[in-house]
């Protein structure tokens, strides 16, 4: 009887009920993003009068003009593109090499290295900022774009390393052995044989690194504190907040501009992202 009582409600819901529940859940999840986009087309008065209403009375683009010109987002956007692009290149090169070595070679201390990498998952990100800043200051890299790029791309990136390692473990060693017989060196085998095969995993790492670097606030804030011209988009949003007032519609427009590249990148690489995750998990 108890089993029947548990089964009947599930049958009573049916596929339509499940769809409605999932639709409500999804709408609740994306509602803050929709509200931010809607708020970017409103003025400050309408923003507070209409409350949670999504559709504006009329679409106004003044907030985007303020964000792009007065807010300095034309300059911050270029800074974010440059910093994120260089960080992605460094992370892909470093993590792919690390994953290749851990997957293809047996050496003393390999288990210890893997254990340390996995243990870094337990280290809060905020605790590493102080030593990074101190080390960068001694190296003369503080308040510089180079220092910011190295700080954002020089973290553990454990997930990316393990993704590459899992993928490379499934690559037949006969491919590398044949290349070595033909006279190819370590870097030649890696760059011309192994890395071109890792497209799905590389796309996954690109997306993960892009999201981290593009949305990172704390490191760019610290590294550009002495040179506001180097600010990235997340830090640039502080321009819309002063001691006396906050330009909420301008901040919403700035947030929308910051969100669009992430959405476009994920849409372009989502197929490779899913296959890369699935392949790594399978491996």
């Amino acid at each position: 009887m108890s089993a029947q009582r548990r089964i009947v409600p599930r049958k009573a819901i049916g596929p339509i009920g499940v769809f409605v529940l999932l639709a409500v859940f999804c709408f609740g999840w994306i509602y803050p993003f929709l509200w931010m986009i809607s708020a970017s087309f409103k003025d400050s008065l309408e923003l507070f009068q209409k409350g949670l209403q999504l559709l504006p009375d009329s679409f106004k683009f003044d907030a985007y003009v303020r964000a792009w010109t007065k807010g300095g987002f034309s300059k911050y956007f270029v800074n974010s593109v440059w910093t994120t692009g260089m960080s992605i290149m460094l992370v892909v090169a470093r993590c792919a090499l690390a994953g290749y070595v851990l997957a293809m070679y047996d050496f003393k201390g390999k288990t210890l290295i893997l254990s340390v990498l996995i243990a870094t998952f337990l280290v809060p990100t905020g605790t590493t900022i102080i030593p990074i800043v101190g080390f960068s200051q001694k190296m003369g890299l503080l308040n510089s774009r180079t220092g910011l790029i190295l700080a954002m791309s020089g973290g553990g990136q454990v997930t990316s390393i393990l993704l590459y390692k899992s993928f490379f473990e499934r690559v037949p060693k006969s491919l590398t052995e044949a290349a070595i017989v033909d006279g190819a060196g370590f870097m030649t085998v890696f760059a011309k044989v192994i890395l071109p095969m890792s497209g799905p995993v590389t796309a996954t790492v690109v997306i993960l690194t892009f999201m981290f670097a593009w949305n990172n606030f704390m490191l760019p804030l610290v590294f550009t504190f002495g040179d506001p011209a180097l600010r990235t988009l997340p830090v640039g949003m502080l321009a819309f907040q002063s001691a006396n007032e906050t330009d909420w519609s301008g901040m919403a427009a700035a947030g929308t501009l910051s969100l669009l590249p992430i959405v476009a990148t994920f849409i372009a690489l989502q197929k490779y992202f899913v296959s890369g995750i699935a392949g790594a998990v399978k491996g």
Side-chain angles (χ1 to χ4, degrees), residues 121-263:
F121 277 120
L122 304 177
V123 179
T125 304
T127 59
T128 62
I129 293 180
I130 294 178
I132 288 175
V133 172
F135 181 76
S136 300
Q137 188 174 16
K138 291 181 180 179
M139 296 291 293
L141 296 173
L142 205 60
N143 297 320
S144 68
R145 184 178 285 111
T146 301
L148 176 58
I149 292 172
L150 292 176
M152 289 201 295
S153 62
Q157 310 292 344
V158 183
T159 302
S160 300
I161 294 175
L162 295 180
L163 285 173
Y164 274 115
K165 175 182 177 297
S166 178
F167 178 83
F168 290 146
E169 284 177 341
R170 296 185 287 115
V171 175
K173 291 189 176 182
S174 58
L175 293 177
T176 58
E177 293 173 353
I180 293 173
V181 170
D182 290 339
F186 174 83
M187 289 303 300
T188 303
V189 173
F190 171 75
K192 294 186 177 181
V193 179
I194 298 299
L195 191 59
M197 301 173 58
S198 62
V201 177
T202 300
T204 303
V205 174
V206 167
I207 291 177
L208 294 177
T209 308
F210 183 89
M211 293 176 62
F212 169 78
W214 189 267
N215 292 326
N216 198 301
F217 174 80
M218 187 59 67
L219 284 175
L221 175 65
V222 174
F223 273 83
T224 63
F225 190 79
D227 191 355
L230 299 177
R231 285 178 175 178
T232 57
L233 288 176
V235 182
M237 294 185 68
L238 294 175
F240 298 96
Q241 186 174 8
S242 63
N244 299 320
E245 62 178 353
T246 300
D247 185 359
W248 292 109
S249 57
M251 187 174 291
T256 303
L257 291 174
S258 301
L259 182 65
L260 289 178
I262 297 178
V263 176

